Amino acid sequence: MSTKPSSLIYVTLIWAYNLLQCLLDELLSPTPPSPNTKLRNPRIAVIGAGLTGVSSAAHVVGHGFDVTLFESGSRDQLGGIWSVAREHDLGASINSFMYRFHPHVRWESGYPKQRIIVDQITAIWEDYNLEGKTRFNTSVTSVTPVKSKTQPRPMWLINNEKSFGEFDGIIAAVGACGDVKKPHLDDEEKFKGEIVHSTELGEVDGKGKRIIIIGGEASAVEALEFTSKAKAKETIILARSERGLSLAAL
Ligand SMILES: *[C@@H]1O[C@H](CO)[C@@H](O)[C@H](O)[C@H]1NC(C)=O
């Protein structure tokens, strides 16, 4: 019996990658507090239960401090932008080796897909017992400094709501990719074709069409991949600069 050298190298690399991930986790992940550990001050509010919010909250409790995680969406939105169901096969566009938002993540592939990313975020949320510390369906509309009754320094109130408690610090983890922003184009009502946002690409049929992509950053590169897969007749990109596109060419 013989094993092909290439597959042997592959298996060895995967094995080494897993070993490295275990080591990183062991060395760098703060130990999750047990459910009955009394967490101490300072108390931190984290706004947004996406990838950054969940990993920040995990670090906060891992170091023994109390946290409340505020998420405007429901439980389904744990994972933030990654939790948004999209029809096209979305995934990380950089290698998982560099996509290490918390040392506790364990990747099994080079370019993890959306579902796997949400699973990893959820695993961190569960392993650090953040469930009881997360307020879903709670949109943060104001953060106000108040004179504290218990602390000598000013504290923060969220939405002026005393029942949430006072916070020593706030971590805003709302990200740059919130609700879809689609600028209005002059006379767009008169345009006979379809106008779609890059998040809606899974819903359109591009075959044989002439398509204009507006913008030259990461989403434009994704859109270009889409038009090429969809066998569009012609694709034109209107970009202010070639920065995003030249990065994609690397
Ligand atoms: C939040 O709101 C949704 C819909 O309004 C509801 O289904 C859900 O049970 C609420 N709570 C959580 C924790 O998601």
Side-chain angles (χ1 to χ4, degrees):
M1 210 180 88
S2 74
T3 319
K4 270 203 239 151
S6 61
S7 71
L8 196 66
I9 292 171
Y10 181 73
V11 170
T12 313
L13 277 176
I14 293 288
W15 180 83
Y17 187 32
N18 280 328
L19 183 71
L20 182 68
Q21 296 197 93
C22 285
L23 275 175
L24 285 175
D25 190 13
E26 282 300 318
L27 293 176
L28 301 178
S29 292
T31 316
S34 69
N36 37 22
T37 306
K38 184 96 180 72
L39 294 164
R40 59 179 195 277
N41 287 335
R43 270 191 92 217
I44 309 294
V46 177
I47 306 170
L51 174 154
T52 312
V54 169
S55 32
S56 310
H59 276 291
V60 171
V61 294
H63 289 95
F65 306 124
D66 203 2
V67 81
T68 301
L69 192 50
F70 292 89
E71 168 56 49
S72 61
S74 62
R75 166 66 185 80
D76 299 347
Q77 261 106 58
L78 184 71
I81 197 74
W82 286 116
S83 71
V84 179
R86 298 184 195 207
E87 284 179 26
H88 61 294
D89 212 10
L90 204 74
S93 51
I94 54 168
N95 191 283
S96 69
F97 187 70
M98 288 178 281
Y99 201 59
R100 201 147 292 276
F101 51 87
H102 191 284
H104 195 50
V105 292
R106 295 283 177 89
W107 299 121
E108 280 166 13
S109 74
Y111 293 85
K113 292 291 176 198
Q114 171 183 15
R115 195 63 249 157
I116 308 289
I117 298 172
V118 173
D119 286 349
Q120 287 293 323
I121 299 170
T122 308
I124 292 174
W125 184 70
E126 286 170 349
D127 292 351
Y128 281 84
N129 293 309
L130 292 171
E131 185 160 5
K133 303 191 167 298
T134 308
R135 287 183 176 272
F136 288 105
N137 295 341
T138 311
S139 184
V140 172
T141 52
S142 72
V143 176
T144 326
V146 285
K147 231 175 137 192
S148 171
K149 290 205 176 74
T150 53
Q151 305 289 335
R153 56 188 181 279
M155 301 283 279
W156 298 100
L157 266 191
I158 299 265
N159 295 355
N160 279 318
E161 180 57 61
K162 296 210 172 71
S163 67
F164 294 159
E166 298 172 343
F167 297 94
D168 296 83
I170 311 281
I171 297 175
V174 290
C177 314
D179 295 338
V180 166
K181 287 197 194 79
K182 204 157 88 177
H184 182 269
L185 306 170
D186 288 347
D187 288 338
E188 75 171 54
E189 300 75 21
K190 293 186 196 151
F191 180 61
K192 297 264 167 31
E194 251 184 300
I195 302 178
V196 296
H197 187 264
S198 59
T199 54
E200 302 162 333
L201 287 177
E203 296 152 32
V204 295
D205 177 16
K207 193 164 178 208
K209 297 204 174 125
R210 296 181 67 224
I211 298 178
I212 284 194
I213 300 170
I214 302 177
E217 297 283 331
S219 302
V221 176
E222 261 179 48
L224 187 60
E225 272 171 23
F226 163 81
T227 60
S228 128
K229 267 196 207 146
K231 302 204 167 39
K233 190 170 157 203
E234 186 186 358
T235 306
I236 298 166
I237 302 183
L238 295 181
R240 222 181 315 214
S241 79
E242 24 181 270
R243 201 169 62 108
L245 297 170
S246 47
L247 277 177
L250 289 178

